[in-house]
Amino acid sequence: MAAKLTDAERATLATTLPHWRMAEGRDAIVRDFKFIDFNAAWGFMSRVALLAEKQDHHPEWSNVYNRVQVLLTTHDAKGLSARDIALAHAIDAVAGS
Amino acid sequence: MAAKLTDAERATLATTLPHWRMAEGRDAIVRDFKFIDFNAAWGFMSRVALLAEKQDHHPEWSNVYNRVQVLLTTHDAKGLSARDIALAHAIDAVAGS
């Protein structure tokens, strides 16, 4: 069972994951992505789907044409855990940022 | 440019697309899907992505683990058009219903 991030761990997020923000009203982080078209957005999502399956930790996400919103939280922990941070870093690497 | 569905066309939807409902506050149709796991949900989404790209008409959709919500509307028409109905039928075929 994953443990919620400590305050000290949370304090580093703005530096280590600068493209992510806290979700409104939830203990979760969110990042918005914009691509050139659906093909590119779907390519990104496909890579993230494989990462998620490999880490056995899945995003809550939505797609509208060239836009993708990814929200990460850990249901077991009822909030942000190290698993979200690991997946966020892997997603950032796929996104090339 | 796609034309909005007429009232007569809308009247048939409950019969021809019984698994879809009108979206709240938008001229759009929505269907919720539940699968056994993320693998199955992603397989479904991958098939729909190919359909959407082929029809050059894309859903607004979200996924949380084994659940997928698909919303169809036509931005050009500022509402439901025949393109949404065609895509909904194709998605129903993929979903096996």
Side-chain angles (χ1 to χ4, degrees):
Chain A
M1 182 130 165
K4 269 197 192 186
L5 292 187
T6 64
D7 288 347
E9 287 166 333
R10 288 160 191 271
T12 67
L13 292 182
T15 309
T16 56
L17 291 172
H19 299 290
W20 296 76
R21 65 182 187 277
M22 290 301 298
E24 268 185 60
R26 295 183 63 186
D27 190 22
I29 53 174
V30 180
R31 184 174 173 187
D32 295 305
F33 298 87
K34 189 178 174 184
F35 300 91
I36 192 168
D37 57 15
F38 178 75
N39 182 306
W42 186 256
F44 165 75
M45 291 180 74
S46 298
R47 296 191 66 193
V48 171
L50 296 182
L51 286 173
E53 195 69 350
K54 192 165 188 177
Q55 298 191 5
D56 197 18
H57 188 56
H58 301 83
E60 298 183 19
W61 52 351
S62 59
N63 161 243
V64 181
Y65 193 58
N66 64 333
R67 292 171 189 272
V68 179
Q69 183 173 91
V70 181
L71 181 148
L72 301 177
T73 191
T74 303
H75 296 143
D76 275 0
K78 294 188 169 55
L80 274 176
S81 78
R83 305 186 67 187
D84 302 306
I85 306 311
L87 186 53
H89 280 296
I91 291 172
D92 278 357
V94 163
S97 69
Chain B
M1 182 129 163
K4 269 196 192 186
L5 292 188
T6 64
D7 288 347
E9 287 166 333
R10 288 160 191 271
T12 68
L13 292 182
T15 309
T16 56
L17 292 171
H19 298 290
W20 297 75
R21 65 182 187 274
M22 290 301 298
E24 267 187 62
R26 297 183 63 186
D27 191 21
I29 54 175
V30 180
R31 183 174 173 187
D32 296 305
F33 298 88
K34 188 177 175 184
F35 300 91
I36 192 169
D37 57 15
F38 178 75
N39 182 306
W42 186 255
F44 165 75
M45 291 180 75
S46 299
R47 296 192 66 192
V48 172
L50 296 182
L51 287 174
E53 195 70 349
K54 192 165 189 178
Q55 297 190 7
D56 197 18
H57 188 55
H58 301 83
E60 300 183 17
W61 53 351
S62 60
N63 160 243
V64 180
Y65 192 58
N66 64 331
R67 292 170 190 273
V68 180
Q69 182 173 88
V70 181
L71 181 148
L72 301 176
T73 191
T74 304
H75 295 144
D76 276 359
K78 294 187 169 57
L80 273 177
S81 78
R83 305 185 68 188
D84 301 306
I85 306 311
L87 186 53
H89 280 295
I91 291 171
D92 278 356
V94 163
S97 71

